[in-house]
Each structure stands twice: as structure tokens, then as C-alpha cells.
Amino acid sequence: RNFQIKPRARAGPHTRDPLLFEDTSSAAPPMNNQGYYTPGYNMGGAPVGGPGDAGVNNLFADPMASAAMMYGSSLANQGKDIVNKEISRYVSVNKLKYFFAVDSKYVMRKLLLLMFPYTHQDWEVRYHRDTPLTPRHDVNAPDLYIPSMAFITYILLAGVALGIQKRFSPEVLGLCASTALVWVVIEVSVMLLCLYILSVHSDLSVFDLFAYSGYKYVGMIFTVLGGLLFGSDGYLVVLTWSSCALMFFIVRSLKMKILSSLSHDSMGAGATAKPRLRLYITVATAAFQPIIIYWLTSHLVR
């Protein structure tokens, strides 16, 4: 038989399998020669410069919106200036900084002066060109750093004392802190009223009075420590010593401030009685300190 050999058909090129799902994602951004994506690609899929950016640009381009923003910023600046002016009206920031211009050497010398004032001779505050020297340069200058730190230390020590006696609670500690602060405010207010009634023209400011009144916290700390370490007997001994030292310190310090102003306003009716009244105020202020120290510390020592 004659067999005819049919040529085998050559297989066509291999085609890829059909995709089950059609890829509808956006194409990747083109890459430049360095292998980085070209700018202008938004990861969220929206092209840069789309409707969102156009809205923002239109907002800033709107003259009414720009005017409103400028007006709002001007109002904010005016409000800030008014607040700063009101604060400066009642509290001088620069003057307040003066009472915190201390260093460690001054703090040690002042603490020694508060507890052992009997050997100190010169109690006059020194001046330089009609300006009192800062506390770090004059140990006689009043400061607010020691009263502030002493007040915080007293509150912490009161918490320790109440904890030892199993009487600690946040309410009791808060009452102790508020009572100690209120008594100082009352004392300063009474002093200001008395100085106003007697028309005393001195360089004593409210900060000065708060400083002299706040020095009692130092004696209160040592008094409570004496009671915790040595019992009631130690408490009474330290209370007596700190009270006498503080009274001596207050009399000598305020004497230079109050009684030295007699030369400025010694004229007029009743001028002869003013020195006696001013001395009474000074002594009464000093005698008031032991009462407050005992009132604020006696309940912490049992």
C-alpha cells in the first residue's frame, strides 16, 4: 500500500492561562532612571491636584476667607496683649523674678539666719543705684523661694506624720495645706490693712509681706521633725526655739522697713503716736508667729 506521510503540524506559540479575575487595579506609577517613583502619584488612588486640592486653593484664594483669617489672627493677638497687660497690672513678672533670684549659698545662709538670728548684726537691705540687691547678693533681702519650698516640704512632712499615726487621707492633707495657706493670706491682709490705716509709706510690697510671713514654714518643719524624732518634749523644745528665733528675725527685719519710714511722713496731727503704733504692729506680727506655728503643727505630733 502506498502510505502518504502527512507532515506534523508545528505547535503554535504557548499562550498564558486565562485569568480567573480581571485586574482592575490602577497601574503602578512609572519609574525614572534611578529606580524611584515619579512624583505626583497619590497612594490613595486620587491624582495629585484633584478636586480636594482645588478646594483648598480656592479657599485661600477667596478674598473673604483671607480677610476672615486675618481678622481672626488680629483678634487673637489683641486678646493676648490684653491678657498680658492685665497680668502685668496686678503681678509684675520682673519683680517676681527678683524674689526667686537665689543660689545655694544664699539658701544656706538664710536658713542659718532664720534659726540662729541672734548673732547677726547688719539687718539693713543693701541698695545699688536705688535698686535693692537681689537675694543672692544680700542675705537680708526677702525672697519667695525659701517660703515656697518650705511650704511644699511642710505638706510632705505632714503627710508622713499623718501616715505614721494611721490618720492619712487626701482630704486631711488637703485641709492641712489649705489651712496653712489661708493663714498666711489672712496675716498679709491684716498687715496691709494696718499699714494703710496708719498711712505708712515704705517700700514694703505684697511680695515682701508674703516672704516674711512664709518664713514661718521653716520653723514649722523643724518643729514637726523634733516632735517625730523626740516626742512631745522635743516638739516643745524646738517649738520654743524656732518661735523665739522667728520673732527676733521678724522684729529686726520689719523694724528696718516700717520704723525707718517715719522720717518721710512724720508731719501732721497724731505724728507722735505713729511710732508707738508702728512698733505695736511690728511686735504683734512677730508675736502672732508662734501661735500659728503651734496651731498648724500640734495636731501632727502626738
Side-chain angles (χ1 to χ4, degrees), residues 118-149:
Y118 307 107
T119 59
H120 192 64
Q121 299 296 328
D122 185 14
W123 291 88
E124 187 174 359
V125 177
R126 293 182 294 175
Y127 285 78
H128 176 68
R129 297 180 180 178
D130 297 334
T131 302
L133 296 179
T134 57
R136 68 164 60 99
H137 297 108
D138 185 12
V139 71
N140 295 324
D143 72 285
L144 289 174
Y145 176 81
I146 291 179
S148 302
M149 294 298 103

PDB file of all heavy atoms in Angstrom, residues 118-149:
ATOM      1  N   TYR A 118      20.487  85.586 116.346  1.00  0.00           N
ATOM      2  CA  TYR A 118      20.893  86.445 117.462  1.00  0.00           C
ATOM      3  C   TYR A 118      22.266  87.059 117.258  1.00  0.00           C
ATOM      4  O   TYR A 118      22.557  88.128 117.823  1.00  0.00           O
ATOM      5  CB  TYR A 118      20.865  85.647 118.759  1.00  0.00           C
ATOM      6  CG  TYR A 118      19.533  84.960 119.002  1.00  0.00           C
ATOM      7  CD1 TYR A 118      19.404  83.582 118.847  1.00  0.00           C
ATOM      8  CD2 TYR A 118      18.407  85.689 119.358  1.00  0.00           C
ATOM      9  CE1 TYR A 118      18.194  82.944 119.057  1.00  0.00           C
ATOM     10  CE2 TYR A 118      17.188  85.060 119.563  1.00  0.00           C
ATOM     11  CZ  TYR A 118      17.082  83.684 119.404  1.00  0.00           C
ATOM     12  OH  TYR A 118      15.873  83.060 119.598  1.00  0.00           O
ATOM     13  N   THR A 119      23.122  86.425 116.494  1.00  0.00           N
ATOM     14  CA  THR A 119      24.473  86.950 116.294  1.00  0.00           C
ATOM     15  C   THR A 119      24.586  87.838 115.057  1.00  0.00           C
ATOM     16  O   THR A 119      25.652  88.393 114.798  1.00  0.00           O
ATOM     17  CB  THR A 119      25.461  85.784 116.161  1.00  0.00           C
ATOM     18  OG1 THR A 119      25.081  84.945 115.058  1.00  0.00           O
ATOM     19  CG2 THR A 119      25.490  84.951 117.439  1.00  0.00           C
ATOM     20  N   HIS A 120      23.506  87.987 114.318  1.00  0.00           N
ATOM     21  CA  HIS A 120      23.550  88.807 113.108  1.00  0.00           C
ATOM     22  C   HIS A 120      23.500  90.279 113.502  1.00  0.00           C
ATOM     23  O   HIS A 120      22.696  90.679 114.360  1.00  0.00           O
ATOM     24  CB  HIS A 120      22.364  88.463 112.199  1.00  0.00           C
ATOM     25  CG  HIS A 120      22.466  89.036 110.823  1.00  0.00           C
ATOM     26  ND1 HIS A 120      23.457  88.691 109.926  1.00  0.00           N
ATOM     27  CD2 HIS A 120      21.690  89.954 110.183  1.00  0.00           C
ATOM     28  CE1 HIS A 120      23.285  89.341 108.799  1.00  0.00           C
ATOM     29  NE2 HIS A 120      22.224  90.121 108.924  1.00  0.00           N
ATOM     30  N   GLN A 121      24.343  91.088 112.875  1.00  0.00           N
ATOM     31  CA  GLN A 121      24.463  92.484 113.261  1.00  0.00           C
ATOM     32  C   GLN A 121      23.803  93.441 112.268  1.00  0.00           C
ATOM     33  O   GLN A 121      22.982  94.273 112.657  1.00  0.00           O
ATOM     34  CB  GLN A 121      25.960  92.850 113.404  1.00  0.00           C
ATOM     35  CG  GLN A 121      26.689  92.047 114.456  1.00  0.00           C
ATOM     36  CD  GLN A 121      26.156  92.289 115.859  1.00  0.00           C
ATOM     37  OE1 GLN A 121      25.691  93.384 116.175  1.00  0.00           O
ATOM     38  NE2 GLN A 121      26.212  91.266 116.707  1.00  0.00           N
ATOM     39  N   ASP A 122      24.139  93.341 111.010  1.00  0.00           N
ATOM     40  CA  ASP A 122      23.642  94.274 110.000  1.00  0.00           C
ATOM     41  C   ASP A 122      22.356  93.719 109.385  1.00  0.00           C
ATOM     42  O   ASP A 122      22.362  92.706 108.683  1.00  0.00           O
ATOM     43  CB  ASP A 122      24.708  94.457 108.910  1.00  0.00           C
ATOM     44  CG  ASP A 122      24.280  95.517 107.894  1.00  0.00           C
ATOM     45  OD1 ASP A 122      23.321  96.267 108.183  1.00  0.00           O
ATOM     46  OD2 ASP A 122      24.902  95.592 106.821  1.00  0.00           O
ATOM     47  N   TRP A 123      21.234  94.392 109.643  1.00  0.00           N
ATOM     48  CA  TRP A 123      19.925  93.950 109.153  1.00  0.00           C
ATOM     49  C   TRP A 123      19.393  94.832 108.025  1.00  0.00           C
ATOM     50  O   TRP A 123      18.270  94.618 107.562  1.00  0.00           O
ATOM     51  CB  TRP A 123      18.912  93.960 110.299  1.00  0.00           C
ATOM     52  CG  TRP A 123      19.180  92.913 111.324  1.00  0.00           C
ATOM     53  CD1 TRP A 123      19.982  93.020 112.410  1.00  0.00           C
ATOM     54  CD2 TRP A 123      18.649  91.589 111.340  1.00  0.00           C
ATOM     55  NE1 TRP A 123      19.995  91.844 113.118  1.00  0.00           N
ATOM     56  CE2 TRP A 123      19.171  90.939 112.491  1.00  0.00           C
ATOM     57  CE3 TRP A 123      17.780  90.872 110.519  1.00  0.00           C
ATOM     58  CZ2 TRP A 123      18.850  89.631 112.815  1.00  0.00           C
ATOM     59  CZ3 TRP A 123      17.460  89.567 110.845  1.00  0.00           C
ATOM     60  CH2 TRP A 123      17.995  88.963 111.978  1.00  0.00           C
ATOM     61  N   GLU A 124      20.140  95.774 107.589  1.00  0.00           N
ATOM     62  CA  GLU A 124      19.670  96.697 106.568  1.00  0.00           C
ATOM     63  C   GLU A 124      19.840  96.092 105.172  1.00  0.00           C
ATOM     64  O   GLU A 124      20.885  95.498 104.858  1.00  0.00           O
ATOM     65  CB  GLU A 124      20.441  98.008 106.655  1.00  0.00           C
ATOM     66  CG  GLU A 124      19.899  99.091 105.738  1.00  0.00           C
ATOM     67  CD  GLU A 124      20.596 100.417 105.951  1.00  0.00           C
ATOM     68  OE1 GLU A 124      21.481 100.479 106.832  1.00  0.00           O
ATOM     69  OE2 GLU A 124      20.258 101.386 105.253  1.00  0.00           O
ATOM     70  N   VAL A 125      18.817  96.251 104.347  1.00  0.00           N
ATOM     71  CA  VAL A 125      18.869  95.776 102.969  1.00  0.00           C
ATOM     72  C   VAL A 125      19.737  96.727 102.159  1.00  0.00           C
ATOM     73  O   VAL A 125      19.548  97.950 102.193  1.00  0.00           O
ATOM     74  CB  VAL A 125      17.450  95.689 102.369  1.00  0.00           C
ATOM     75  CG1 VAL A 125      17.507  95.261 100.911  1.00  0.00           C
ATOM     76  CG2 VAL A 125      16.596  94.709 103.168  1.00  0.00           C
ATOM     77  N   ARG A 126      20.657  96.185 101.418  1.00  0.00           N
ATOM     78  CA  ARG A 126      21.581  96.997 100.635  1.00  0.00           C
ATOM     79  C   ARG A 126      20.983  97.335  99.272  1.00  0.00           C
ATOM     80  O   ARG A 126      20.243  96.548  98.693  1.00  0.00           O
ATOM     81  CB  ARG A 126      22.917  96.274 100.469  1.00  0.00           C
ATOM     82  CG  ARG A 126      23.688  96.116 101.782  1.00  0.00           C
ATOM     83  CD  ARG A 126      25.010  95.442 101.563  1.00  0.00           C
ATOM     84  NE  ARG A 126      24.828  94.053 101.125  1.00  0.00           N
ATOM     85  CZ  ARG A 126      25.825  93.258 100.771  1.00  0.00           C
ATOM     86  NH1 ARG A 126      27.065  93.715 100.764  1.00  0.00           N
ATOM     87  NH2 ARG A 126      25.583  92.012 100.413  1.00  0.00           N
ATOM     88  N   TYR A 127      21.386  98.519  98.790  1.00  0.00           N
ATOM     89  CA  TYR A 127      20.876  99.031  97.516  1.00  0.00           C
ATOM     90  C   TYR A 127      22.050  99.324  96.591  1.00  0.00           C
ATOM     91  O   TYR A 127      23.171  99.600  97.032  1.00  0.00           O
ATOM     92  CB  TYR A 127      20.049 100.305  97.720  1.00  0.00           C
ATOM     93  CG  TYR A 127      18.684 100.071  98.294  1.00  0.00           C
ATOM     94  CD1 TYR A 127      18.513  99.821  99.661  1.00  0.00           C
ATOM     95  CD2 TYR A 127      17.549 100.097  97.492  1.00  0.00           C
ATOM     96  CE1 TYR A 127      17.259  99.613 100.198  1.00  0.00           C
ATOM     97  CE2 TYR A 127      16.290  99.886  98.020  1.00  0.00           C
ATOM     98  CZ  TYR A 127      16.156  99.647  99.366  1.00  0.00           C
ATOM     99  OH  TYR A 127      14.912  99.425  99.909  1.00  0.00           O
ATOM    100  N   HIS A 128      21.721  99.277  95.304  1.00  0.00           N
ATOM    101  CA  HIS A 128      22.673  99.686  94.273  1.00  0.00           C
ATOM    102  C   HIS A 128      21.935 100.568  93.280  1.00  0.00           C
ATOM    103  O   HIS A 128      21.075 100.105  92.530  1.00  0.00           O
ATOM    104  CB  HIS A 128      23.261  98.461  93.553  1.00  0.00           C
ATOM    105  CG  HIS A 128      24.172  98.817  92.420  1.00  0.00           C
ATOM    106  ND1 HIS A 128      25.403  99.414  92.616  1.00  0.00           N
ATOM    107  CD2 HIS A 128      24.023  98.671  91.066  1.00  0.00           C
ATOM    108  CE1 HIS A 128      25.977  99.611  91.444  1.00  0.00           C
ATOM    109  NE2 HIS A 128      25.168  99.172  90.482  1.00  0.00           N
ATOM    110  N   ARG A 129      22.241 101.877  93.309  1.00  0.00           N
ATOM    111  CA  ARG A 129      21.571 102.851  92.446  1.00  0.00           C
ATOM    112  C   ARG A 129      20.053 102.827  92.651  1.00  0.00           C
ATOM    113  O   ARG A 129      19.275 102.673  91.706  1.00  0.00           O
ATOM    114  CB  ARG A 129      21.920 102.611  90.979  1.00  0.00           C
ATOM    115  CG  ARG A 129      23.398 102.798  90.652  1.00  0.00           C
ATOM    116  CD  ARG A 129      23.657 102.539  89.178  1.00  0.00           C
ATOM    117  NE  ARG A 129      25.061 102.715  88.867  1.00  0.00           N
ATOM    118  CZ  ARG A 129      25.604 102.521  87.655  1.00  0.00           C
ATOM    119  NH1 ARG A 129      24.796 102.154  86.653  1.00  0.00           N
ATOM    120  NH2 ARG A 129      26.879 102.684  87.451  1.00  0.00           N
ATOM    121  N   ASP A 130      19.648 102.946  93.893  1.00  0.00           N
ATOM    122  CA  ASP A 130      18.230 102.984  94.289  1.00  0.00           C
ATOM    123  C   ASP A 130      17.488 101.689  93.962  1.00  0.00           C
ATOM    124  O   ASP A 130      16.248 101.673  93.940  1.00  0.00           O
ATOM    125  CB  ASP A 130      17.506 104.154  93.612  1.00  0.00           C
ATOM    126  CG  ASP A 130      18.064 105.500  94.048  1.00  0.00           C
ATOM    127  OD1 ASP A 130      18.602 105.575  95.165  1.00  0.00           O
ATOM    128  OD2 ASP A 130      17.978 106.462  93.254  1.00  0.00           O
ATOM    129  N   THR A 131      18.199 100.630  93.720  1.00  0.00           N
ATOM    130  CA  THR A 131      17.588  99.331  93.444  1.00  0.00           C
ATOM    131  C   THR A 131      18.112  98.322  94.451  1.00  0.00           C
ATOM    132  O   THR A 131      19.333  98.192  94.605  1.00  0.00           O
ATOM    133  CB  THR A 131      17.921  98.858  92.021  1.00  0.00           C
ATOM    134  OG1 THR A 131      17.461  99.836  91.079  1.00  0.00           O
ATOM    135  CG2 THR A 131      17.251  97.525  91.725  1.00  0.00           C
ATOM    136  N   PRO A 132      17.233  97.631  95.173  1.00  0.00           N
ATOM    137  CA  PRO A 132      17.724  96.653  96.153  1.00  0.00           C
ATOM    138  C   PRO A 132      18.459  95.509  95.476  1.00  0.00           C
ATOM    139  O   PRO A 132      18.088  95.057  94.385  1.00  0.00           O
ATOM    140  CB  PRO A 132      16.444  96.173  96.845  1.00  0.00           C
ATOM    141  CG  PRO A 132      15.354  96.450  95.870  1.00  0.00           C
ATOM    142  CD  PRO A 132      15.763  97.671  95.118  1.00  0.00           C
ATOM    143  N   LEU A 133      19.500  95.057  96.127  1.00  0.00           N
ATOM    144  CA  LEU A 133      20.257  93.931  95.593  1.00  0.00           C
ATOM    145  C   LEU A 133      19.415  92.662  95.637  1.00  0.00           C
ATOM    146  O   LEU A 133      18.531  92.502  96.479  1.00  0.00           O
ATOM    147  CB  LEU A 133      21.546  93.739  96.386  1.00  0.00           C
ATOM    148  CG  LEU A 133      22.570  94.876  96.328  1.00  0.00           C
ATOM    149  CD1 LEU A 133      23.781  94.536  97.190  1.00  0.00           C
ATOM    150  CD2 LEU A 133      23.004  95.143  94.890  1.00  0.00           C
ATOM    151  N   THR A 134      19.680  91.777  94.719  1.00  0.00           N
ATOM    152  CA  THR A 134      18.953  90.510  94.673  1.00  0.00           C
ATOM    153  C   THR A 134      19.307  89.667  95.894  1.00  0.00           C
ATOM    154  O   THR A 134      20.359  89.860  96.510  1.00  0.00           O
ATOM    155  CB  THR A 134      19.287  89.755  93.390  1.00  0.00           C
ATOM    156  OG1 THR A 134      20.716  89.546  93.321  1.00  0.00           O
ATOM    157  CG2 THR A 134      18.831  90.527  92.165  1.00  0.00           C
ATOM    158  N   PRO A 135      18.447  88.729  96.256  1.00  0.00           N
ATOM    159  CA  PRO A 135      18.735  87.912  97.443  1.00  0.00           C
ATOM    160  C   PRO A 135      20.063  87.177  97.383  1.00  0.00           C
ATOM    161  O   PRO A 135      20.690  86.976  98.433  1.00  0.00           O
ATOM    162  CB  PRO A 135      17.550  86.933  97.465  1.00  0.00           C
ATOM    163  CG  PRO A 135      16.441  87.671  96.807  1.00  0.00           C
ATOM    164  CD  PRO A 135      17.086  88.496  95.737  1.00  0.00           C
ATOM    165  N   ARG A 136      20.499  86.778  96.206  1.00  0.00           N
ATOM    166  CA  ARG A 136      21.763  86.043  96.147  1.00  0.00           C
ATOM    167  C   ARG A 136      22.962  86.918  96.515  1.00  0.00           C
ATOM    168  O   ARG A 136      24.035  86.393  96.850  1.00  0.00           O
ATOM    169  CB  ARG A 136      21.977  85.451  94.752  1.00  0.00           C
ATOM    170  CG  ARG A 136      22.225  86.447  93.665  1.00  0.00           C
ATOM    171  CD  ARG A 136      22.794  85.775  92.423  1.00  0.00           C
ATOM    172  NE  ARG A 136      21.893  84.783  91.906  1.00  0.00           N
ATOM    173  CZ  ARG A 136      21.055  84.998  90.883  1.00  0.00           C
ATOM    174  NH1 ARG A 136      21.017  86.194  90.310  1.00  0.00           N
ATOM    175  NH2 ARG A 136      20.272  84.057  90.439  1.00  0.00           N
ATOM    176  N   HIS A 137      22.769  88.241  96.475  1.00  0.00           N
ATOM    177  CA  HIS A 137      23.854  89.155  96.837  1.00  0.00           C
ATOM    178  C   HIS A 137      23.643  89.816  98.189  1.00  0.00           C
ATOM    179  O   HIS A 137      24.512  90.557  98.649  1.00  0.00           O
ATOM    180  CB  HIS A 137      23.998  90.244  95.763  1.00  0.00           C
ATOM    181  CG  HIS A 137      24.381  89.723  94.415  1.00  0.00           C
ATOM    182  ND1 HIS A 137      23.504  89.684  93.349  1.00  0.00           N
ATOM    183  CD2 HIS A 137      25.543  89.191  93.949  1.00  0.00           C
ATOM    184  CE1 HIS A 137      24.098  89.181  92.288  1.00  0.00           C
ATOM    185  NE2 HIS A 137      25.337  88.860  92.629  1.00  0.00           N
ATOM    186  N   ASP A 138      22.493  89.600  98.811  1.00  0.00           N
ATOM    187  CA  ASP A 138      22.207  90.219 100.103  1.00  0.00           C
ATOM    188  C   ASP A 138      21.350  89.259 100.925  1.00  0.00           C
ATOM    189  O   ASP A 138      20.206  88.969 100.549  1.00  0.00           O
ATOM    190  CB  ASP A 138      21.484  91.554  99.903  1.00  0.00           C
ATOM    191  CG  ASP A 138      21.270  92.302 101.213  1.00  0.00           C
ATOM    192  OD1 ASP A 138      21.873  91.897 102.233  1.00  0.00           O
ATOM    193  OD2 ASP A 138      20.509  93.287 101.215  1.00  0.00           O
ATOM    194  N   VAL A 139      21.887  88.782 102.025  1.00  0.00           N
ATOM    195  CA  VAL A 139      21.155  87.815 102.847  1.00  0.00           C
ATOM    196  C   VAL A 139      19.965  88.459 103.542  1.00  0.00           C
ATOM    197  O   VAL A 139      19.025  87.751 103.951  1.00  0.00           O
ATOM    198  CB  VAL A 139      22.114  87.169 103.874  1.00  0.00           C
ATOM    199  CG1 VAL A 139      22.506  88.182 104.951  1.00  0.00           C
ATOM    200  CG2 VAL A 139      21.522  85.925 104.501  1.00  0.00           C
ATOM    201  N   ASN A 140      19.962  89.783 103.694  1.00  0.00           N
ATOM    202  CA  ASN A 140      18.840  90.464 104.339  1.00  0.00           C
ATOM    203  C   ASN A 140      17.649  90.675 103.401  1.00  0.00           C
ATOM    204  O   ASN A 140      16.569  91.031 103.872  1.00  0.00           O
ATOM    205  CB  ASN A 140      19.294  91.824 104.875  1.00  0.00           C
ATOM    206  CG  ASN A 140      20.319  91.686 105.985  1.00  0.00           C
ATOM    207  OD1 ASN A 140      20.251  90.774 106.804  1.00  0.00           O
ATOM    208  ND2 ASN A 140      21.286  92.598 106.014  1.00  0.00           N
ATOM    209  N   ALA A 141      17.838  90.483 102.113  1.00  0.00           N
ATOM    210  CA  ALA A 141      16.751  90.697 101.167  1.00  0.00           C
ATOM    211  C   ALA A 141      15.724  89.577 101.286  1.00  0.00           C
ATOM    212  O   ALA A 141      16.087  88.398 101.397  1.00  0.00           O
ATOM    213  CB  ALA A 141      17.299  90.744  99.742  1.00  0.00           C
ATOM    214  N   PRO A 142      14.443  89.901 101.283  1.00  0.00           N
ATOM    215  CA  PRO A 142      13.418  88.848 101.355  1.00  0.00           C
ATOM    216  C   PRO A 142      13.326  88.093 100.033  1.00  0.00           C
ATOM    217  O   PRO A 142      13.574  88.654  98.962  1.00  0.00           O
ATOM    218  CB  PRO A 142      12.139  89.630 101.644  1.00  0.00           C
ATOM    219  CG  PRO A 142      12.385  90.987 101.071  1.00  0.00           C
ATOM    220  CD  PRO A 142      13.850  91.252 101.248  1.00  0.00           C
ATOM    221  N   ASP A 143      12.948  86.843 100.131  1.00  0.00           N
ATOM    222  CA  ASP A 143      12.788  86.016  98.932  1.00  0.00           C
ATOM    223  C   ASP A 143      11.533  85.169  99.087  1.00  0.00           C
ATOM    224  O   ASP A 143      10.992  85.027 100.184  1.00  0.00           O
ATOM    225  CB  ASP A 143      14.008  85.112  98.722  1.00  0.00           C
ATOM    226  CG  ASP A 143      14.067  83.991  99.750  1.00  0.00           C
ATOM    227  OD1 ASP A 143      14.414  84.264 100.918  1.00  0.00           O
ATOM    228  OD2 ASP A 143      13.745  82.842  99.403  1.00  0.00           O
ATOM    229  N   LEU A 144      11.083  84.630  97.986  1.00  0.00           N
ATOM    230  CA  LEU A 144       9.926  83.737  97.975  1.00  0.00           C
ATOM    231  C   LEU A 144      10.304  82.297  97.676  1.00  0.00           C
ATOM    232  O   LEU A 144       9.433  81.422  97.724  1.00  0.00           O
ATOM    233  CB  LEU A 144       8.900  84.211  96.940  1.00  0.00           C
ATOM    234  CG  LEU A 144       8.152  85.496  97.282  1.00  0.00           C
ATOM    235  CD1 LEU A 144       7.276  85.931  96.122  1.00  0.00           C
ATOM    236  CD2 LEU A 144       7.316  85.310  98.535  1.00  0.00           C
ATOM    237  N   TYR A 145      11.564  82.053  97.390  1.00  0.00           N
ATOM    238  CA  TYR A 145      11.984  80.674  97.101  1.00  0.00           C
ATOM    239  C   TYR A 145      11.933  79.810  98.352  1.00  0.00           C
ATOM    240  O   TYR A 145      11.358  78.711  98.340  1.00  0.00           O
ATOM    241  CB  TYR A 145      13.392  80.671  96.507  1.00  0.00           C
ATOM    242  CG  TYR A 145      13.943  79.288  96.272  1.00  0.00           C
ATOM    243  CD1 TYR A 145      13.581  78.570  95.140  1.00  0.00           C
ATOM    244  CD2 TYR A 145      14.808  78.685  97.183  1.00  0.00           C
ATOM    245  CE1 TYR A 145      14.086  77.294  94.912  1.00  0.00           C
ATOM    246  CE2 TYR A 145      15.308  77.417  96.969  1.00  0.00           C
ATOM    247  CZ  TYR A 145      14.941  76.725  95.836  1.00  0.00           C
ATOM    248  OH  TYR A 145      15.432  75.455  95.637  1.00  0.00           O
ATOM    249  N   ILE A 146      12.511  80.305  99.446  1.00  0.00           N
ATOM    250  CA  ILE A 146      12.520  79.525 100.689  1.00  0.00           C
ATOM    251  C   ILE A 146      11.104  79.321 101.230  1.00  0.00           C
ATOM    252  O   ILE A 146      10.749  78.197 101.610  1.00  0.00           O
ATOM    253  CB  ILE A 146      13.439  80.204 101.726  1.00  0.00           C
ATOM    254  CG1 ILE A 146      14.899  80.101 101.275  1.00  0.00           C
ATOM    255  CG2 ILE A 146      13.265  79.578 103.104  1.00  0.00           C
ATOM    256  CD1 ILE A 146      15.889  80.753 102.224  1.00  0.00           C
ATOM    257  N   PRO A 147      10.235  80.335 101.293  1.00  0.00           N
ATOM    258  CA  PRO A 147       8.856  80.067 101.728  1.00  0.00           C
ATOM    259  C   PRO A 147       8.121  79.064 100.844  1.00  0.00           C
ATOM    260  O   PRO A 147       7.375  78.219 101.356  1.00  0.00           O
ATOM    261  CB  PRO A 147       8.202  81.451 101.669  1.00  0.00           C
ATOM    262  CG  PRO A 147       9.315  82.400 101.866  1.00  0.00           C
ATOM    263  CD  PRO A 147      10.470  81.788 101.163  1.00  0.00           C
ATOM    264  N   SER A 148       8.320  79.129  99.532  1.00  0.00           N
ATOM    265  CA  SER A 148       7.631  78.192  98.637  1.00  0.00           C
ATOM    266  C   SER A 148       8.097  76.763  98.866  1.00  0.00           C
ATOM    267  O   SER A 148       7.282  75.836  99.014  1.00  0.00           O
ATOM    268  CB  SER A 148       7.860  78.599  97.176  1.00  0.00           C
ATOM    269  OG  SER A 148       7.402  79.906  96.935  1.00  0.00           O
ATOM    270  N   MET A 149       9.407  76.564  98.896  1.00  0.00           N
ATOM    271  CA  MET A 149       9.941  75.216  99.114  1.00  0.00           C
ATOM    272  C   MET A 149       9.629  74.720 100.526  1.00  0.00           C
ATOM    273  O   MET A 149       9.364  73.521 100.731  1.00  0.00           O
ATOM    274  CB  MET A 149      11.452  75.216  98.890  1.00  0.00           C
ATOM    275  CG  MET A 149      11.881  75.507  97.463  1.00  0.00           C
ATOM    276  SD  MET A 149      11.297  74.280  96.263  1.00  0.00           S
ATOM    277  CE  MET A 149       9.930  75.169  95.509  1.00  0.00           C
TER     278      MET A 149
END
